Amino acid sequence: MKLRLKLVLLSGVPIVVALMLMSVTMQQQTLKLAHEEKALVQAAFMTSKEAELRHYVELARNTLVRIAEGPGALDERKRLALDTIKRMQFGNNGYFFVYDQHGQLMIDPQTLPLKGVAFCDPNDPQSADSAYRILATARRGGGVVRYSWHKPSSQEVVPKLGYVLTIPQWDWVIGTGIYLDDVQQALRAIETGAQANIEGTRQRIYLIAALCVVLIWTGGLVLNLKDHRVSSDKLRRLARRVVHSQEQERVRVARELHDGVVQVLASSKFLLETAQLQLADAAVPPASRSALAQGVDQLAGALAEIRRVSHGLRPALLDDLGLAPALELLARQMQQCGAFEVRFACRGLAAGLPPEHGTALFRIAQEALQNCCSHARARRVELVLRGTRRAVALSIEDDGCGFDMRRVSADGERGIGLRNMRERAESLGGDLHVASSSRGTRIDVRLPLPSAAAPAPARESFPLVIAHPLT
């Protein structure tokens, strides 16, 4: 068994088992709390309903007392009081009932605005018991009375909570009630909610267990990525050192060619030209004179070729004057090939570019122009160098035939130049993008600048453009 799998099992299995035990304990405790909550809610609900009923009945009684104590004939006041009570209702099923001093109903339920209302009539055998309890509670000073009665909206017999008081002026009993099936529904909703909470909590525990396993796996992945990042940084530093070593070697070879071979060839050419001048008036056969002139010409060509190779290895302008003049020289040299037109522009770049950035961009431009010359069959190439306080960018765009990016990337033997350009950019923390189609190819490279070495933008408000038209 692999070490990584062992670590996952040793850390994940105990967590899952512990969470399962927590789930069972949580379910038991939640059910217990739900029952206690149900009892508390029921008590609180009943208390609040009793207070609400008392408020309604006291409000109705005060209204009738004001009418009873008002002016007018007694019969008129009673009729006004009953009409007022008929119009008073609350909620969907709330209404008031009134009994006289003999226990007879004073209101006809058919005259109420609410349909389906039936009162507890003492003369009805089915409702006599409930009516007697209501009257008995009122004679004891009023209060709460419980009984079962028809609910108008559903016409079902459900438990009802009533409240009654007396009107001393007329010895009437007034009361109302609420149906307790709403309370039962609320309690059932609490129980259903508790079950839903248990199920939701169980699912969250399962999710937490899964997240713990994922976090463990992610931790291992992060460690692997960290190791990979460290390895990538080491490889990047190694690549930078390799590139630096290559550039140093190129500088050494270019210096050796310039200071050694070029000087020897130049001295030899000078000696041959001197000999050629000294033999100008001598009696030398024409064949020898022609051979000597041909040798001088070939030596001059070799000298020019070695100088070209030396400048290609490391142009002196790159070290002496900077990147922009070196790219201008490179454009001029490619222009002399006569294969395509080269336009170079520099925008917003001042002095102070780090040497490694200048070298990387020069080599990328050198490789790109060589690809244009060898493969693109382009007629025009544009180089644009841009600089800001934070980065320096170079774009190379041609109007050649382009190439298939996927095919070149998949082919291990092709695209070495593109990979070299990309590695040079990435070794300095930059990025390189290549877009190619049948209308041409565009290469964009951007290198971030260190804060201490970031060049300030140029003061010119217009771009500096150096063009080399075809001759």
Side-chain angles (χ1 to χ4, degrees):
M1 186 179 294
K2 295 183 179 180
L3 178 60
R4 188 178 301 173
L5 182 58
K6 290 181 180 179
L7 291 176
V8 171
L9 292 177
L10 289 176
S11 56
V13 172
I15 292 177
V16 173
V17 173
L19 290 175
M20 294 295 294
L21 294 176
M22 290 173 56
S23 175
V24 174
T25 304
M26 176 274 305
Q27 181 176 358
Q28 295 177 352
Q29 293 297 322
T30 304
L31 288 176
K32 180 179 178 181
L33 291 175
H35 291 307
E36 294 177 355
E37 181 185 7
K38 182 178 179 181
L40 291 174
V41 169
Q42 184 174 9
F45 197 83
M46 296 301 296
T47 302
S48 65
K49 290 301 179 181
E50 290 178 3
E52 181 180 357
L53 288 176
R54 183 173 61 253
H55 172 74
Y56 289 150
V57 175
E58 288 178 350
L59 180 63
R61 185 183 66 172
N62 293 336
T63 301
L64 296 186
V65 166
R66 285 195 297 272
I67 295 175
E69 294 176 351
L74 179 61
D75 292 340
E76 290 295 330
R77 282 180 287 154
K78 288 184 176 181
R79 185 168 57 255
L80 177 61
L82 294 178
D83 291 339
T84 303
I85 288 297
K86 291 178 183 179
R87 292 192 300 270
M88 296 178 66
Q89 63 182 81
F90 55 92
N92 296 327
N93 298 281
Y95 55 89
F96 292 92
F97 52 83
V98 178
Y99 295 93
D100 62 6
Q101 65 270 24
H102 303 293
Q104 301 299 318
L105 286 169
M106 301 291 293
I107 299 176
D108 184 2
Q110 300 299 324
T111 61
L112 293 178
L114 189 63
K115 303 299 181 182
V117 176
F119 291 146
C120 298
D121 191 351
N123 300 319
D124 187 352
Q126 295 182 353
S127 59
D129 182 66
S130 298
Y132 289 146
R133 277 192 286 172
I134 292 172
L135 294 173
T137 303
R139 293 188 182 101
R140 290 196 299 268
V144 177
V145 56
R146 294 174 180 267
Y147 57 97
S148 297
W149 197 242
H150 300 279
K151 188 176 183 180
S153 59
S154 62
Q155 291 301 313
E156 295 180 354
V157 178
V158 297
K160 187 173 183 180
L161 179 68
Y163 195 89
V164 294
L165 290 173
T166 59
I167 301 176
Q169 287 83 351
W170 294 333
D171 198 17
W172 283 1
V173 175
I174 183 172
T176 188
I178 59 172
Y179 297 93
L180 298 180
D181 57 337
D182 297 335
V183 179
Q184 300 299 326
Q185 291 179 1
L187 296 178
R188 284 193 298 270
I190 292 174
E191 187 173 358
T192 303
Q195 294 293 335
N197 290 334
I198 292 174
E199 184 63 27
T201 305
R202 184 185 295 111
Q203 293 179 359
R204 285 191 290 271
I205 289 177
Y206 294 157
L207 180 60
I208 292 172
L211 288 176
C212 290
V213 175
V214 171
L215 288 176
I216 294 171
W217 179 82
T218 305
L221 180 61
V222 169
L223 292 177
N224 291 338
L225 291 177
K226 184 178 180 181
D227 294 339
H228 178 71
R229 189 181 301 109
V230 172
S231 301
S232 299
D233 292 339
K234 291 181 179 179
L235 289 176
R236 190 178 295 110
R237 288 195 297 269
L238 179 60
R240 191 179 302 174
R241 291 178 183 176
V242 170
V243 171
H244 181 71
S245 300
Q246 290 177 350
E247 293 298 329
Q248 293 296 323
E249 184 64 18
R250 289 184 181 213
V251 171
R252 188 188 67 80
V253 173
R255 186 181 299 114
E256 291 293 336
L257 288 176
H258 183 272
D259 297 341
V261 178
V262 170
Q263 299 302 323
V264 171
L265 292 178
S267 177
S268 300
K269 180 175 178 292
F270 176 74
L271 293 176
L272 290 175
E273 289 176 345
T274 302
Q276 189 179 21
L277 292 174
Q278 292 175 355
L279 295 175
D281 298 331
V284 179
S288 298
R289 193 186 304 276
S290 176
L292 181 60
Q294 186 177 1
V296 173
D297 293 338
Q298 290 182 355
L299 186 59
L303 183 61
E305 181 66 19
I306 291 178
R307 284 176 176 170
R308 187 189 65 80
V309 172
S310 175
H311 284 292
L313 288 173
R314 183 71 180 184
L317 286 177
L318 186 60
D319 296 323
D320 297 338
L321 298 181
L323 178 60
L327 290 177
E328 180 185 0
L329 175 62
L330 178 63
R332 186 179 297 114
Q333 290 175 348
M334 296 302 298
Q335 180 72 44
Q336 292 174 357
C337 297
F340 46 77
E341 178 186 356
V342 182
R343 293 180 62 87
F344 171 70
C346 178
R347 298 187 177 98
L349 188 69
L353 189 69
E356 59 271 15
H357 288 63
T359 301
L361 292 177
F362 178 80
R363 294 304 180 194
I364 291 173
Q366 196 176 36
E367 182 69 31
L369 290 176
Q370 187 61 40
N371 289 339
C372 292
C373 184
S374 304
H375 309 291
R377 299 194 298 274
R379 293 176 298 177
R380 182 176 178 180
V381 180
E382 291 187 358
L383 278 77
V384 180
L385 181 65
R386 299 180 181 88
T388 63
R389 294 183 181 274
R390 297 184 178 181
V392 58
L394 176 66
S395 64
I396 306 102
E397 185 174 6
D398 65 69
D399 58 353
C401 60
F403 59 93
D404 189 348
M405 285 289 299
R406 294 183 180 178
R407 183 177 300 176
V408 172
S409 300
D411 192 347
E413 298 180 358
R414 301 175 60 189
I416 297 176
L418 290 175
R419 285 193 289 271
N420 290 338
M421 288 189 288
R422 193 178 303 276
E423 289 174 359
R424 284 183 180 274
E426 292 178 352
S427 66
L428 295 174
D431 49 49
L432 183 140
H433 299 282
V434 180
S436 184
S437 66
S438 59
R439 293 178 295 179
T441 302
R442 180 182 177 90
I443 298 175
D444 292 295
V445 58
R446 181 182 181 277
L447 301 180
L449 293 174
S451 57
R459 295 181 179 179
E460 290 84 1
S461 59
F462 54 90
L464 174 62
V465 180
I466 305 172
H468 306 281
L470 286 172
T471 57

